[in-house]
Amino acid sequence: MYRSHNCGELRISDIGKEVTLSGWVQKGRDLGGLTFVDVRDRYGITQLVFNMDENADLCSKARKLGREFVIQAHGIVRERSSKNNQRATGDIEIEVQTLDILNSALVPPFTIEDQTDGGDDLRMKYRYLDIRRTPVQSNLIFRSKLAIETRKYLDSQGFIEIETPFLIKSTPEGARDFVVPSRLNPHQFYALPQSPQTFKQILMVAGMDKYFQIVKCFRDEDLRADRQPEFTQIDCEMAFVHIEDILNTFEGLTKYLFKHTLNRELPDFPRMSYDDALKFYGSDKPDLRFDMKFIELNDLAKGHDFSVFDSAELIAGICVKGAAEKYSNKDLKDLTEWVQRPQIGAKGLVYVKYQEDGSIKSTIGKFYSDDVLKNWATSLGIEKGDMLLILSGEQEKTRKQLGELRLEMGRKEGLMVQGDFKPLWVIDFPLLEWDEESNRFFAMHHPFTSPKKEDIPKMMNGDHQTMKNLKADAYDLVINGVEIGGGSIRIHDRDLQSKNFDLLGFTKEEAEHQFGFLLGAFEYGAPPHGGIAFGFDRLCAVMNGQSSIRDFIAFPKNNQGRDMMIDAPSTIHASQLDELRLSLTYKDL
Amino acid sequence: MYRSHNCGELRISDIGKEVTLSGWVQKGRDLGGLTFVDVRDRYGITQLVFNMDENADLCSKARKLGREFVIQAHGIVRERSSKNNQRATGDIEIEVQTLDILNSALVPPFTIEDQTDGGDDLRMKYRYLDIRRTPVQSNLIFRSKLAIETRKYLDSQGFIEIETPFLIKSTPEGARDFVVPSRLNPHQFYALPQSPQTFKQILMVAGMDKYFQIVKCFRDEDLRADRQPEFTQIDCEMAFVHIEDILNTFEGLTKYLFKHTLNRELPDFPRMSYDDALKFYGSDKPDLRFDMKFIELNDLAKGHDFSVFDSAELIAGICVKGAAEKYSNKDLKDLTEWVQRPQIGAKGLVYVKYQEDGSIKSTIGKFYSDDVLKNWATSLGIEKGDMLLILSGEQEKTRKQLGELRLEMGRKEGLMVQGDFKPLWVIDFPLLEWDEESNRFFAMHHPFTSPKKEDIPKMMNGDHQTMKNLKADAYDLVINGVEIGGGSIRIHDRDLQSKNFDLLGFTKEEAEHQFGFLLGAFEYGAPPHGGIAFGFDRLCAVMNGQSSIRDFIAFPKNNQGRDMMIDAPSTIHASQLDELRLSLTYKDL
């Protein structure tokens, strides 16, 4: 037996017990005739004590222990003379009788502490040392707990977890697939799933009714910061449901998860149409931890001979409460430069400060008198001390820019409070998105999403302009400005699905080749169905108020898709390529 | 709302309720003025009734419904005049007021009944129809339940589920890897994991202590019947454990699963050494549902001038109880031919029948008198009515052949009772296996398995013959002759691991290239650890007394590794190959 207890569980009530602990040496201290060694495992840290006077050999052995040595110690629990109330085991220590070194350790390349001195690359290469650190360990334990609670809830609601295959078929629509050459079927390839989408729909046709799976998905994308080539989804589908059934079920799941992992009760989630989200927040994933809703100013601001506004499609602003006296000219110049950066792309920034003393300070005083601007304030509910920031231009762009500015002001004003959670359903997405560049429609959600029932006749018979305005039964769950989940009611009619493929530019042959099995399935009694998928890595991060998913993944890849620890990907043997009937080419390399 | 109840839940106590059901048409029957329609979902079947006299339009509509149409019916629950006690809902029916056809269906290519008329290929191609059948649906629901209970138990024991990566590094040792070309790292490849072995060991070095994962694994093998290129494991690892801790923990898991899915209490599992398993059952996975232990006859049978026996390394038999009068000469001739088939490979079969009347009938009467054979019977505990079947020859082969014969006799005698479960730990496996053909050692379990502690000095310093006799801390869980799980205590010392790689024929460079990260990890404080992996698909099958794993997998592949439904693998676009810097070759095609 390597241990009778772990390093986090002994208390004052255990005094006098004979115990055996195993773990890693956190650190040692020699104080005169006494040597103290902190031994650590994932449950905590316990202090071992050795006395040179009582057992010189043993104490000498303890003094030779290095950081991260793996040891086993046997001894008696006793009360500490100087207690450590920072630590659950801080009232006791172990008077050691025997000490075994189970394994030695080289000096680790960075400190195994909450705040480590290791850089990202080093931490990834020695991930086994990094994971010994409490913050990473806690994240992985949280993730495990979140998965368990997810399954508990969905099981209680009658969902069945069904594993769908990983070796499937490549479909060039959407993101790029990872492909897997088949040796038994030379020159043919499997693809790794970007999601189990078609399989979960097939399961609905198969009568499985309520399906879920916590499952790895794969996308061969050029990796941006915080994207991973493999990621995990909570993937769900239900048959015989309307949109309301799905929203309620998964709002229930989300509330349950917050309650059972963070002990937080969430109120009912508000719902907002996609159009309103853009109109009032300039984003389809608004952060509702703060208000700062867009104020449209076209009616008020036009016709005052200010050509910038007169020629703008949209003039809109945000009111920053209590900010009038806080932002200097220098601050506002910096803010103007910030909105003018190419990533934001605004032409300029107009401000109107309604000072505490009732006066107005503004960049547009030349065109608008103080009285006019005070009238704006009155009619818009802007109070003394507030500052109005205004952008103008082409509607879609201006909304996007103002959305970015709103977030920046939220950050500056400290309105994105850690531990505050503001979930939101965004609904009524457009079905199709027109891409000017490639002169074609793309599916806003995916090609299996159903238009709203009332839009189906328009879709089957409408003209090009009609198609742009079709609304889908699609929805996103957004928390604190992060898209956590998304889904839709699916098409379950062969003709409607064919029409959608047609609109998306598939030829009949392509549609048949790639999705013939699904079209076929729709002819054999497909029930109405819909579903949702949650980004599990991201849910973990958002629930913990962290912005990076990487530390919620045990072995993440870097931005080049590389596992730094095992050094993958790597070259393979020529014989492996031969067996697969493949050879390397050097075009453009 | 598509339904107020499912098709399996209405009872006599619901009479008078207004309900809405949705589901598939199982069948319809017209009886005079009445039409009955059975509507089915995964919860059950409910009878709908339509009356031509009361509502001719509605009844006509019902008469036009085809098999597998998806319908929604609204009506009143009423008591049936002729009840069906084969069905949970058999006391009631629904007097339908409105009927909606949600989707029509073509006539399915096979019947959606427990006993279907569909062949394997058809069932796989139309898997969505096949899964509508209760036996397949029950299997998938069982699988989901088994996964939930597995997680429940392991969670209760402090295990953390941690996801390990799917895009890892190819290691030519062991079975063949599926590889995944990397676009971002041209000419480099990921491999799909054959198991998370090295990652779970890394997690132990990382201090995670008790890990598990229910996880897909991949092997590119030539597919035998009932092998799948992707399969699921319950993968587990623990640190600071001896073999006893692991056997107890996972015996606990197994008992828990039988209790909580089948309501079966299993007694403590016996343990048998690998050597004994071969000696007494001719197999490292004996089926203990029946005894029929091998009887070694060298001492008794040699020296009677029967040259076949005299020249044999081993003479061994099995006693088939009460079989003496049951097997005719013809039967025994057939049995002899059976053991002589190339798959078994015995030269011949000797029998000794101890007849009910006390006489002896035997093929070796020429060499052994009745008295001699009766003495055998007495000393071996063979009783009147029993039959002794004997094989002889080279020891290892004879044991294997007799093992097959034992199973065949178990089948013939009806001793492999459905619903009887006989688990067994097989322990003390050899560490290495010498392969004459390739003139090298292979790891009996895998290259990370530790020799028994007392064998470590022998391994570090012994000669070739010593290596053949090293025993490992490895173990298999066998139920009813099927290997359900296997594992070992791992090496956690760099030098010992290097020695093992060396014995297995790795050069220093190969070992470093493939497993450098693990060898490195062993230098930074690796704790003693060990683990086990269960074949999840097989566990499902064995617990249900079924021999094929295929019907416990929602979307299995056929023997060519092909998904018949989606038709994968398939060709990919030339542009995809270009992006991956790969081209097809035609050598040997």
Side-chain angles (χ1 to χ4, degrees):
Chain A
M1 189 194 56
Y2 279 108
R3 56 186 177 189
S4 61
H5 296 75
N6 65 48
C7 299
E9 66 179 315
L10 292 170
R11 298 288 181 275
I12 199 98
S13 56
D14 295 305
I15 281 171
K17 279 189 190 158
E18 220 177 308
V19 300
T20 307
L21 299 184
S22 287
W24 286 263
V25 172
Q26 181 71 21
K27 64 175 174 196
R29 297 183 304 292
D30 300 325
L31 293 178
L34 292 179
T35 289
F36 299 95
V37 173
D38 281 349
V39 60
R40 185 199 73 233
D41 61 17
R42 77 165 156 102
Y43 309 93
I45 294 180
T46 299
Q47 175 168 294
L48 309 178
V49 60
F50 300 84
N51 191 323
M52 190 56 93
D53 293 339
E54 285 168 18
N55 191 332
D57 283 353
L58 191 66
C59 193
S60 302
K61 195 172 178 185
R63 287 188 177 189
K64 287 189 199 120
L65 293 174
R67 263 168 62 205
E68 302 305 317
F69 273 43
V70 186
I71 59 169
Q72 181 182 31
H74 179 86
I76 308 289
V77 184
R78 71 178 195 197
E79 189 166 3
R80 272 165 79 156
S81 47
S82 78
K83 299 199 169 53
N84 176 350
N85 59 19
Q86 302 297 302
R87 196 177 275 175
T89 62
D91 288 349
I92 58 95
E93 62 192 2
I94 313 296
E95 194 180 342
V96 177
Q97 293 164 340
T98 60
L99 171 71
D100 285 301
I101 298 173
L102 300 175
N103 216 338
S104 62
L106 298 178
V107 176
F110 50 84
T111 55
I112 313 293
E113 305 274 358
D114 290 6
Q115 300 295 333
T116 181
D117 56 357
D120 260 8
D121 282 359
L122 213 53
R123 286 177 50 211
M124 288 305 144
K125 182 167 157 70
Y126 295 93
R127 188 63 164 168
Y128 43 89
L129 298 179
D130 197 32
I131 296 177
R132 285 190 199 154
R133 296 170 51 238
T134 306
V136 184
Q137 225 160 59
S138 309
N139 286 351
L140 296 180
I141 291 170
F142 178 86
R143 183 185 179 105
S144 177
K145 168 94 172 144
L146 193 66
I148 282 174
E149 294 298 340
T150 301
R151 289 188 164 100
K152 210 179 275 180
Y153 177 83
L154 292 172
D155 178 45
S156 78
Q157 301 293 308
F159 284 78
I160 308 290
E161 186 162 23
I162 300 176
E163 296 173 52
T164 52
F166 279 75
L167 297 172
I168 67 167
K169 190 165 163 171
S170 186
T171 56
E173 179 70 3
R176 215 181 269 107
D177 285 322
F178 282 106
V179 296
V180 183
S182 165
R183 183 180 53 87
L184 293 177
N185 304 272
H187 295 178
Q188 297 190 16
F189 295 75
Y190 302 100
L192 299 179
Q194 295 182 31
S195 95
Q197 182 61 33
T198 51
F199 287 96
K200 66 177 174 172
Q201 293 192 240
I202 286 287
L203 285 169
M204 295 305 104
V205 180
M208 291 311 290
D209 207 33
K210 290 177 171 181
Y211 144 94
F212 86 102
Q213 193 181 187
I214 301 184
V215 63
K216 272 281 173 74
C217 300
F218 304 85
R219 259 179 227 168
D220 182 13
E221 291 180 285
D222 296 322
L223 300 168
R224 299 202 303 256
D226 218 33
R227 280 269 178 120
Q228 289 283 322
E230 46 179 309
F231 54 97
T232 303
Q233 273 185 198
I234 308 173
D235 193 54
C236 308
E237 197 79 4
M238 304 171 78
F240 301 115
V241 286
H242 297 289
I243 191 167
E244 201 61 30
D245 302 304
I246 296 191
L247 299 191
N248 289 338
T249 301
F250 295 100
E251 184 165 326
L253 169 65
T254 310
K255 285 178 178 172
Y256 179 93
L257 294 179
F258 273 83
K259 175 71 191 157
H260 289 85
T261 59
L262 300 179
N263 197 24
R264 294 288 297 266
E265 308 266 2
L266 297 182
D268 288 346
F269 300 0
R271 296 178 189 183
M272 189 184 292
S273 73
Y274 172 85
D275 288 345
D276 279 355
L278 289 186
K279 184 178 165 74
F280 295 120
Y281 301 96
S283 162
D284 61 359
K285 37 180 189 279
D287 188 335
L288 295 191
R289 278 177 296 178
F290 62 106
D291 190 19
M292 223 185 270
K293 222 174 183 176
F294 292 2
I295 301 165
E296 299 203 345
L297 296 159
N298 284 23
D299 290 350
L300 289 171
K302 289 205 176 205
H304 288 256
D305 293 333
F306 180 37
S307 67
V308 172
F309 282 0
D310 284 350
S311 66
E313 188 184 0
L314 177 71
I315 309 152
I318 49 175
C319 170
V320 188
K321 301 300 288 180
E325 323 273 333
K326 263 165 56 182
Y327 288 77
S328 67
N329 286 345
K330 168 74 170 63
D331 294 339
L332 286 159
K333 192 165 159 271
D334 290 348
L335 211 52
T336 306
E337 279 167 12
W338 189 86
V339 299
Q340 287 174 332
R341 294 181 318 149
Q343 301 94 307
I344 310 293
K347 293 225 178 67
L349 174 67
V350 165
Y351 68 82
V352 177
K353 289 179 171 178
Y354 192 8
Q355 310 271 96
E356 290 288 359
D357 64 6
S359 68
I360 295 282
K361 270 184 81 174
S362 169
T363 33
I364 50 172
K366 249 206 286 184
F367 303 97
Y368 303 85
S369 71
D370 282 10
D371 282 349
V372 166
L373 294 175
K374 274 186 204 170
N375 272 336
W376 289 15
T378 311
S379 67
L380 300 171
I382 295 166
E383 298 170 309
K384 283 181 189 167
D386 295 351
M387 173 170 72
L388 184 64
L389 297 174
I390 304 173
L391 297 179
S392 65
E394 192 267 310
Q395 172 171 296
E396 199 177 322
K397 279 187 192 156
T398 304
R399 283 179 173 165
K400 211 158 171 255
Q401 293 156 0
L402 194 59
E404 296 291 342
L405 180 60
R406 173 180 174 273
L407 291 178
E408 177 68 7
M409 295 314 294
R411 270 186 291 269
K412 280 187 189 294
E413 293 291 302
L415 300 173
M416 287 145 135
V417 177
Q418 182 83 341
D420 186 15
F421 295 105
K422 283 288 169 350
L424 164 74
W425 287 110
V426 178
I427 57 175
D428 301 344
F429 278 81
L431 182 70
L432 302 166
E433 221 176 352
W434 179 255
D435 184 59
E436 287 295 347
E437 212 168 306
S438 55
N439 198 37
R440 54 160 287 196
F441 280 116
F442 282 90
M444 186 90 175
H445 183 52
H446 59 46
F448 313 104
T449 296
S450 179
K452 285 187 166 288
K453 206 173 176 185
E454 58 271 26
D455 281 4
I456 294 178
K458 290 191 236 170
M459 176 167 167
M460 293 306 276
N461 305 304
D463 61 9
H464 184 78
Q465 191 52 44
T466 310
M467 297 307 162
K468 287 189 182 173
N469 296 323
L470 295 173
K471 292 287 184 199
D473 262 340
Y475 32 81
D476 275 357
L477 177 61
V478 174
I479 300 179
N480 296 359
V482 180
E483 183 197 325
I484 289 300
S488 62
I489 298 294
R490 327 298 185 184
I491 297 170
H492 64 281
D493 176 84
R494 183 181 173 120
D495 292 340
L496 189 60
Q497 185 65 66
S498 293
K499 175 71 185 177
N500 206 24
F501 283 142
D502 191 33
L503 285 170
L504 294 170
F506 287 75
T507 65
K508 283 258 172 298
E509 293 67 35
E510 283 167 350
E512 188 57 42
H513 173 69
Q514 286 173 40
F515 299 112
F517 66 98
L518 187 67
L519 293 169
F522 285 172
E523 296 189 304
Y524 285 98
H529 61 285
I532 196 168
F534 290 77
F536 189 64
D537 311 288
R538 195 150 306 282
L539 181 59
C540 288
V542 166
M543 289 182 79
N544 287 279
Q546 297 186 23
S547 60
S548 167
I549 62 173
R550 216 171 268 188
D551 274 344
F552 290 87
I553 297 174
F555 301 101
K557 295 194 170 52
N558 73 7
N559 284 349
Q560 282 73 50
R562 179 162 290 283
D563 183 319
M564 302 281 283
M565 182 184 75
I566 64 170
D567 194 26
S570 66
T571 55
I572 58 174
H573 278 230
S575 62
Q576 286 176 283
L577 283 172
D578 284 348
E579 277 192 322
L580 298 171
R581 270 80 178 186
L582 288 176
S583 69
L584 308 177
T585 63
Y586 292 84
K587 202 161 54 176
D588 305 326
L589 263 190
Chain B
M1 189 194 57
Y2 279 109
R3 55 185 178 190
S4 62
H5 296 76
N6 65 48
C7 298
E9 66 179 314
L10 292 170
R11 298 286 182 276
I12 200 95
S13 56
D14 296 304
I15 281 169
K17 280 189 189 157
E18 223 179 305
V19 300
T20 307
L21 299 184
S22 287
W24 287 264
V25 172
Q26 180 71 19
K27 65 176 175 199
R29 294 182 306 291
D30 301 327
L31 293 177
L34 293 178
T35 289
F36 298 95
V37 172
D38 282 348
V39 60
R40 185 200 70 232
D41 62 15
R42 80 165 153 102
Y43 309 94
I45 295 181
T46 299
Q47 177 167 293
L48 309 178
V49 61
F50 302 84
N51 190 324
M52 191 55 93
D53 293 339
E54 285 167 18
N55 190 334
D57 283 354
L58 191 67
C59 192
S60 302
K61 194 173 179 184
R63 287 189 178 186
K64 287 190 200 118
L65 293 173
R67 264 168 61 203
E68 301 304 316
F69 274 42
V70 186
I71 59 170
Q72 181 181 34
H74 179 85
I76 308 289
V77 184
R78 70 178 196 196
E79 187 167 3
R80 272 164 79 157
S81 48
S82 78
K83 299 199 168 49
N84 176 351
N85 60 18
Q86 302 296 303
R87 199 177 274 176
T89 63
D91 289 348
I92 59 93
E93 62 193 2
I94 314 296
E95 194 180 343
V96 177
Q97 293 165 340
T98 60
L99 171 71
D100 286 302
I101 297 174
L102 300 175
N103 217 339
S104 62
L106 298 178
V107 176
F110 50 84
T111 54
I112 314 292
E113 305 274 0
D114 290 5
Q115 300 295 333
T116 182
D117 55 356
D120 261 8
D121 282 359
L122 214 51
R123 288 177 49 213
M124 289 304 144
K125 181 165 158 66
Y126 296 93
R127 187 64 165 171
Y128 44 87
L129 299 178
D130 197 31
I131 295 177
R132 284 189 200 154
R133 296 169 50 236
T134 306
V136 184
Q137 225 159 61
S138 310
N139 286 351
L140 296 180
I141 292 170
F142 178 86
R143 184 186 178 104
S144 177
K145 168 93 174 146
L146 193 66
I148 282 174
E149 294 298 340
T150 301
R151 290 188 164 98
K152 209 178 276 179
Y153 177 84
L154 291 173
D155 178 45
S156 77
Q157 301 294 308
F159 284 78
I160 308 290
E161 186 162 23
I162 301 176
E163 295 174 52
T164 52
F166 279 77
L167 297 172
I168 66 166
K169 188 164 164 172
S170 186
T171 54
E173 179 70 1
R176 215 182 266 104
D177 284 323
F178 281 106
V179 296
V180 182
S182 165
R183 184 180 53 86
L184 292 177
N185 305 273
H187 295 177
Q188 298 190 14
F189 294 76
Y190 302 100
L192 300 178
Q194 295 182 30
S195 96
Q197 182 61 35
T198 50
F199 288 96
K200 66 176 174 173
Q201 293 192 239
I202 286 288
L203 285 170
M204 295 306 104
V205 180
M208 291 311 290
D209 207 34
K210 289 177 173 181
Y211 144 94
F212 86 102
Q213 192 181 189
I214 301 184
V215 63
K216 272 280 173 77
C217 301
F218 304 85
R219 259 178 227 171
D220 183 13
E221 292 180 285
D222 295 321
L223 300 167
R224 300 202 302 255
D226 218 33
R227 280 268 178 119
Q228 289 282 321
E230 45 179 309
F231 55 96
T232 303
Q233 273 185 197
I234 309 172
D235 193 53
C236 308
E237 198 80 3
M238 304 171 78
F240 301 116
V241 286
H242 296 288
I243 191 167
E244 200 63 28
D245 302 303
I246 297 191
L247 298 191
N248 290 338
T249 301
F250 295 99
E251 185 166 325
L253 169 64
T254 310
K255 285 178 179 172
Y256 180 93
L257 293 179
F258 272 83
K259 175 72 190 156
H260 289 84
T261 60
L262 301 179
N263 197 24
R264 293 288 298 266
E265 306 267 4
L266 296 182
D268 288 346
F269 300 0
R271 296 180 188 181
M272 189 184 294
S273 73
Y274 173 84
D275 288 345
D276 278 355
L278 289 186
K279 183 178 166 74
F280 294 120
Y281 300 96
S283 162
D284 61 0
K285 37 180 187 284
D287 187 336
L288 295 192
R289 280 178 294 178
F290 61 105
D291 190 21
M292 222 184 271
K293 222 174 183 178
F294 292 0
I295 301 165
E296 299 203 345
L297 296 159
N298 284 20
D299 290 349
L300 290 171
K302 289 205 176 205
H304 288 256
D305 293 332
F306 181 37
S307 66
V308 172
F309 282 180
D310 283 349
S311 64
E313 188 183 359
L314 177 70
I315 309 151
I318 49 175
C319 171
V320 188
K321 302 299 290 178
E325 322 274 331
K326 265 165 52 185
Y327 289 77
S328 66
N329 285 346
K330 170 73 169 62
D331 294 338
L332 286 160
K333 192 165 158 267
D334 290 348
L335 210 53
T336 305
E337 279 167 14
W338 189 88
V339 298
Q340 286 173 333
R341 294 180 319 150
Q343 300 95 308
I344 310 294
K347 294 224 178 68
L349 174 67
V350 165
Y351 68 84
V352 177
K353 288 178 172 179
Y354 192 11
Q355 309 273 94
E356 289 290 358
D357 65 5
S359 67
I360 295 281
K361 269 182 83 173
S362 168
T363 34
I364 48 169
K366 249 206 288 185
F367 302 99
Y368 303 86
S369 70
D370 282 10
D371 281 350
V372 167
L373 294 177
K374 275 187 203 170
N375 271 337
W376 288 16
T378 311
S379 66
L380 300 171
I382 296 165
E383 298 170 309
K384 282 180 190 169
D386 296 350
M387 174 170 72
L388 185 65
L389 297 174
I390 303 172
L391 297 178
S392 65
E394 192 268 308
Q395 171 170 296
E396 199 177 321
K397 280 187 190 156
T398 303
R399 283 179 173 165
K400 209 154 174 259
Q401 293 157 0
L402 193 60
E404 295 292 341
L405 180 61
R406 174 179 174 275
L407 291 178
E408 178 67 6
M409 296 314 294
R411 271 186 291 271
K412 279 186 190 294
E413 292 291 302
L415 301 174
M416 287 146 135
V417 178
Q418 183 83 343
D420 186 17
F421 296 105
K422 283 287 166 352
L424 164 73
W425 287 111
V426 178
I427 57 174
D428 300 343
F429 277 80
L431 182 71
L432 302 166
E433 221 176 352
W434 180 254
D435 185 59
E436 286 294 347
E437 212 167 304
S438 55
N439 198 36
R440 55 161 286 197
F441 279 116
F442 283 91
M444 187 89 175
H445 183 51
H446 59 45
F448 313 104
T449 296
S450 178
K452 284 186 167 289
K453 207 172 176 185
E454 58 272 26
D455 282 3
I456 293 178
K458 289 191 236 170
M459 178 167 164
M460 293 306 275
N461 304 306
D463 61 10
H464 183 78
Q465 190 52 43
T466 310
M467 298 306 162
K468 287 190 181 172
N469 295 325
L470 295 172
K471 292 289 183 198
D473 261 340
Y475 33 81
D476 275 356
L477 177 61
V478 174
I479 301 179
N480 295 359
V482 180
E483 183 195 325
I484 289 302
S488 61
I489 297 294
R490 326 300 184 184
I491 297 170
H492 63 281
D493 176 84
R494 185 183 170 116
D495 292 340
L496 190 59
Q497 185 65 66
S498 292
K499 175 70 185 180
N500 205 25
F501 284 142
D502 190 34
L503 286 171
L504 294 170
F506 286 76
T507 65
K508 283 257 171 298
E509 293 68 33
E510 283 167 348
E512 189 55 42
H513 174 70
Q514 287 173 39
F515 300 111
F517 65 98
L518 188 67
L519 293 170
F522 286 171
E523 296 188 304
Y524 285 99
H529 61 285
I532 194 167
F534 290 78
F536 189 64
D537 311 287
R538 197 152 303 283
L539 181 60
C540 287
V542 166
M543 289 182 79
N544 287 279
Q546 296 186 26
S547 59
S548 168
I549 62 173
R550 217 173 269 190
D551 275 343
F552 290 87
I553 297 173
F555 302 101
K557 296 194 170 52
N558 74 8
N559 284 349
Q560 282 73 50
R562 180 162 288 283
D563 183 319
M564 302 282 283
M565 184 183 74
I566 64 171
D567 194 26
S570 66
T571 55
I572 57 174
H573 279 232
S575 62
Q576 287 176 283
L577 282 172
D578 285 348
E579 278 192 321
L580 298 171
R581 270 76 179 189
L582 288 177
S583 68
L584 308 177
T585 61
Y586 291 84
K587 200 160 56 174
D588 305 327
L589 263 188

